[in-house]
Amino acid sequence: MNEQRDNVWRGVAIITGASSGIGEAIVKKLASNAEGIVIAARRIDRLTLLAKSLGDNVIPVQCDVQNKAEVEHAVQTTLDRFGRVDTLINNAGIAPMSSMLRGRVEDWENTIDTNIKGVLYGIAAVLPHMLKQKTGRIINISSEAGRRVFPGSAVYCASKHAVRVISEGLQIDLSARSQKDGNDIKVSTILPGYVLTDLPESVTFEPARNEFKKNMQNVEGPLQGNDIADCIQFILNAPDHVEIGEMTVRPTKQVM
Ligand code: NDP
């Protein structure tokens, strides 16, 4: 048994999409042991309330992940306040699903700009610092939709496939580099099944939103945000030499 298993992560993290659902649950899980957490999302009022309830080490930053400069600002805030960035959790995401036949191009653009480009902007902003530090953790939230394609959600599924593939590609590039410079930067991807959150509210086409809600409610024992936060904690607490690449987690009774 590895004694480091009992280690508790006490670093500095940035968490995107922290104003609700999974992101909020992650913040609540990590805050008490973290040296510092910068929580980022568009709804600054919700972030401010959350930060106030948790303590001075939690810093709210308004940030639209579609905007590269705002993502860079969130990272700079972390460096200014805490002097380093140990962990990035790319969690912000939307799911404006509908049949492709409806041609909702604006939804497609928003999905790609948030779920793919937002993740890339986060990686681009933290990576130079992690490479300099020779250490870091990047955790990307993909989805079951990152492995499979469901009806009426082609672009969402494509975006989550992209997140999974980007994570894997980053991990490959980093491990090649770590052979040269000894860095221990690790990349992990979580692929959740149904988690009871506000995600259906991001569906702009009403019939699709109602169907998403119904499907979510029909799952017996859906996951809660806290279940994904537990996965994050497990990943962060792993010893330095252990990299958890992918973690699929779904409700036990979700019919696949
Ligand atoms: P929520 O809708 O509860 O949370 C989404 C979060 O993303 C919010 O905090 C929202 O904050 C933020 N967000 C959305 N767009 C942007 C943006 N442009 N810039 C910054 N933040 C943004 O849903 P979940 O908690 O369920 O979603 C979190 C992640 O989990 C997503 O990536 C989702 O795809 C993924 N996931 C969810 C599953 C589920 O069943 N719930 C299953 C599999 C994966 P704000 O509006 O304040 O900006």
Side-chain angles (χ1 to χ4, degrees):
M1 198 176 114
N2 193 325
E3 286 173 5
Q4 290 188 65
R5 272 279 160 75
D6 298 329
N7 275 0
V8 175
W9 177 88
R10 299 184 194 282
V12 174
I14 305 171
I15 302 172
T16 70
S19 60
S20 64
I22 293 171
E24 183 178 349
I26 297 169
V27 182
K28 287 179 173 165
K29 177 78 64 185
L30 299 184
S32 57
N33 289 313
E35 183 178 331
I37 305 188
V38 166
I39 55 176
R42 294 164 301 178
R43 287 172 293 174
I44 189 67
D45 49 333
R46 291 181 64 114
L47 294 177
T48 305
L49 278 177
L50 179 61
K52 266 194 189 142
S53 72
L54 293 172
D56 290 346
N57 63 336
V58 180
I59 312 294
V61 174
Q62 188 164 34
C63 168
D64 182 343
V65 298
Q66 292 192 16
N67 184 319
K68 184 155 67 87
E70 290 185 20
V71 176
E72 288 167 352
H73 170 70
V75 173
Q76 193 55 51
T77 303
T78 314
L79 294 167
D80 292 347
R81 176 68 198 259
F82 301 107
R84 61 183 208 282
V85 52
D86 301 317
T87 296
L88 168 68
I89 301 175
N90 268 320
N91 164 73
I94 54 172
M97 303 165 181
S98 64
S99 162
M100 286 216 79
L101 308 191
R102 296 198 173 274
R104 294 173 72 91
V105 176
E106 206 177 309
D107 281 347
W108 302 348
E109 288 173 336
N110 268 328
T111 304
I112 288 165
D113 289 351
T114 305
N115 296 5
I116 304 179
K117 287 169 75 175
V119 166
L120 288 171
Y121 291 156
I123 292 169
V126 298
L127 206 48
H129 306 287
M130 288 183 175
L131 286 169
K132 211 186 295 171
Q133 295 165 181
K134 293 196 177 177
T135 183
R137 310 282 177 260
I138 297 175
I139 303 177
N140 297 320
I141 307 296
S142 173
S143 168
E144 285 269 11
R147 283 246 168 252
R148 305 179 55 209
V149 184
F150 302 103
S153 43
V155 180
Y156 179 70
C157 294
S159 75
K160 291 300 181 181
H161 275 66
V163 171
R164 180 176 57 77
V165 172
I166 288 164
S167 296
E168 192 175 329
L170 176 61
Q171 194 280 331
I172 289 168
D173 291 347
L174 279 168
S175 55
R177 164 124 180 187
S178 79
Q179 302 224 313
K180 290 186 196 140
D181 72 2
N183 81 69
D184 75 351
I185 303 170
K186 301 196 276 191
V187 186
S188 305
T189 316
I190 301 184
L191 296 89
Y194 278 123
V195 188
L196 211 52
T197 68
D198 292 341
L199 190 64
E201 298 303 330
S202 68
V203 184
T204 56
F205 181 57
E206 196 181 343
R209 180 167 64 243
N210 293 338
E211 199 184 331
F212 189 3
K213 280 184 184 165
K214 201 174 76 196
N215 290 342
M216 208 178 238
Q217 280 154 9
N218 282 345
V219 176
E220 199 184 328
L223 300 177
Q224 308 291 327
N226 190 46
D227 297 315
I228 307 303
D230 280 340
C231 299
I232 299 269
Q233 199 169 47
F234 182 80
I235 289 170
L236 290 176
N237 289 350
D240 285 348
H241 70 287
V242 176
E243 181 178 53
I244 296 164
E246 276 185 23
M247 201 183 255
T248 300
V249 50
R250 63 175 81 97
T252 309
K253 294 185 177 170
Q254 181 174 335
V255 179
M256 299 306 296

